[in-house]
Amino acid sequence: MQVFSSDNHRRHDAVELSRGKLQVSVESPRRVDIIRRSLSEAGHDVAAPGELDIALVRQIHAAEYVEFLSGIWARWQAQFGDDTPAMPFAWPSRHAAPERPKDVVGQLGYHSFAADCSIGEGTWDAATAAAAAAQSAADHVATTGEATYALSRPPGHHATHDQFGGYCFLNNSAIAAQRLLNHGRSRVAVVDIDYHHGNGTQDIFYRRSDVLTVSVHADPMSEFPWFAGYDHERGAAAGEGWNLNIPLSLGADYSAWSAAIDKAAARVADSNAEALVIAFGADTFVDDPLGTFSIETQNYVETGEKLASLTLPTVIVQEGGYAVQSIGENVAALLEGFR
Ligand code: OKP
Ligand code: ZN
């Protein structure tokens, strides 16, 4: 399979606020090193992505958010004069449409929803490289029809129209879906099988019917991102009926998870979608430090086979997965299902 991966991911090496401590983020550069090694060993062809079309990013994200992300590090450094990472710590009240402050720290709160992300000198370059991999994978799918994998890092599915959070800055899967539409597909389905709900992708396409969003994930009543991912969220306005959430109890096993994937696949089969984006997080794996599901490596092969049997042109975009010692074989297993 054609794989797109940029070395620029390495320029983002973050800290996260976790249980009261600032720690090195589990969303580490090593994740990509290990996936790349496994995929090369399995005979996949890894190429660097082309240059990101920033107009494509603006189809998905607010212009003021793109401007904020690209400039925030320089502004933070100018204001504080050192190399501490930029992080938010205050967010708007739920009750009013918030002002957008002028201040750097105010804007960090306005444009985020979680404190598990830090922004450093290379964050923008890494986030745009991740989006470029998704864009190039979509281009390759549109021209060849062959399933293609974007090894995007940092991940993207939590990034909303104008907020970062959950280790995500630009929504790579949404960017891939939009690119496929730009290539002339009239409807695209995004199936998100990361352990966590794809709240950002849901947010971006919530009022649209040209992109069906489906997510299988841990029940947000008990798991991040807490405030979205419920089964009553079904889309709005023109998008009514075009969002499907399938939350599962903590500790779900392969039989529960695979039944949910079947349901997701049935919705896609029913949607007239002309292309598919799989937002793939390997954090459903039994040993994942963030997850509670008990999916095993071999199960990802069968999952890939199921999704491949939809016979749609398919972009697979990397999302989470933090059991780094196994992440390479888990990604290789999912791709194996597409052979
Ligand atoms: C990103 B993706 C635990 C903090 C958890 C939120 C999880 C983000 C998951 N120390 N932070 O969906 O894999
Ligand atoms: Zn996840």
Side-chain angles (χ1 to χ4, degrees):
M1 186 182 293
Q2 185 64 57
V3 172
F4 289 97
S5 176
S6 164
D7 292 332
N8 264 357
H9 78 86
R10 210 173 290 291
R11 305 213 47 231
H12 177 68
D13 196 352
V15 291
E16 64 176 300
L17 189 58
S18 181
R19 294 173 56 211
K21 278 188 288 190
L22 206 50
Q23 299 182 330
V24 172
S25 181
V26 297
E27 199 292 286
S28 69
R30 268 187 75 214
R31 298 174 60 241
V32 167
D33 298 338
I34 292 169
I35 295 170
R36 274 188 59 165
R37 193 182 322 137
S38 281
L39 296 188
S40 297
E41 279 169 17
H44 297 283
D45 181 39
V46 182
E51 207 191 317
L52 180 65
D53 175 5
I54 201 74
L56 171 64
V57 178
R58 288 205 189 89
Q59 286 182 275
I60 291 300
H61 293 289
E64 65 181 15
Y65 177 65
V66 176
E67 189 195 345
F68 159 83
L69 270 187
S70 64
I72 186 65
W73 171 252
R75 293 169 60 208
W76 171 275
Q77 228 189 3
Q79 183 151 321
F80 299 112
D82 61 26
D83 285 333
T84 57
M87 291 183 79
F89 68 88
W91 290 270
S93 150
R94 78 192 66 197
H95 295 300
E99 292 293 338
R100 183 173 184 263
K102 280 204 205 75
D103 180 79
V104 172
V105 178
Q107 286 186 4
L108 278 161
Y110 182 88
H111 282 302
S112 68
F113 64 89
D116 54 10
C117 295
S118 71
I119 294 176
E121 187 177 12
T123 299
W124 173 248
D125 285 349
T128 51
Q135 171 192 279
S136 287
D139 289 346
H140 192 259
V141 167
T143 49
T144 67
E146 290 163 15
T148 308
Y149 172 67
L151 207 190
S152 297
R153 175 186 174 272
H157 71 148
H158 295 303
T160 72
H161 182 60
D162 62 358
Q163 293 170 297
F164 66 87
Y167 315 147
C168 302
F169 300 92
L170 295 176
N171 195 313
N172 310 309
S173 293
I175 285 166
Q178 184 63 54
R179 189 69 159 188
L180 290 164
L181 293 173
N182 294 354
H183 277 289
R185 314 285 155 158
S186 58
R187 176 170 289 134
V188 177
V190 181
V191 173
D192 188 321
I193 60 172
D194 185 278
Y195 174 75
H196 303 93
H197 174 242
N199 63 295
T201 320
Q202 169 174 308
D203 170 79
I204 287 162
F205 297 119
Y206 206 64
R207 294 170 172 275
R208 289 169 55 169
S209 61
D210 56 347
V211 178
L212 168 69
T213 46
V214 182
S215 182
V216 175
H217 50 266
D219 186 353
M221 197 54 84
S222 310
E223 190 54 274
F224 186 92
W226 317 111
F227 307 110
Y230 297 93
D231 56 11
H232 61 78
E233 297 158 7
R234 303 192 62 250
E240 178 81 55
W242 293 97
N243 184 74
L244 175 62
N245 285 327
I246 310 177
L248 299 174
S249 304
L250 296 196
D253 61 8
Y254 182 60
S255 105
W257 191 69
S258 67
I261 304 262
D262 290 341
K263 215 171 136 188
R267 179 68 188 93
V268 173
D270 213 35
S271 70
N272 294 318
E274 295 175 352
L276 174 65
V277 174
I278 301 171
F280 177 62
D283 42 6
T284 54
F285 183 57
V286 59
D287 290 339
D288 195 276
L290 295 194
T292 65
F293 292 176
S294 52
I295 312 311
E296 304 201 46
T297 302
Q298 193 56 31
N299 299 147
Y300 294 118
V301 179
E302 192 176 296
T303 304
E305 285 167 354
K306 279 184 185 186
L307 294 169
S309 73
L310 286 165
T311 66
L312 290 168
T314 300
V315 182
I316 301 155
V317 180
Q318 188 63 42
E319 299 289 355
Y322 309 98
V324 281
Q325 69 289 354
S326 306
I327 194 173
E329 36 198 88
N330 289 338
V331 171
L334 186 91
L335 302 195
E336 180 63 33
F338 276 82
R339 271 195 217 269

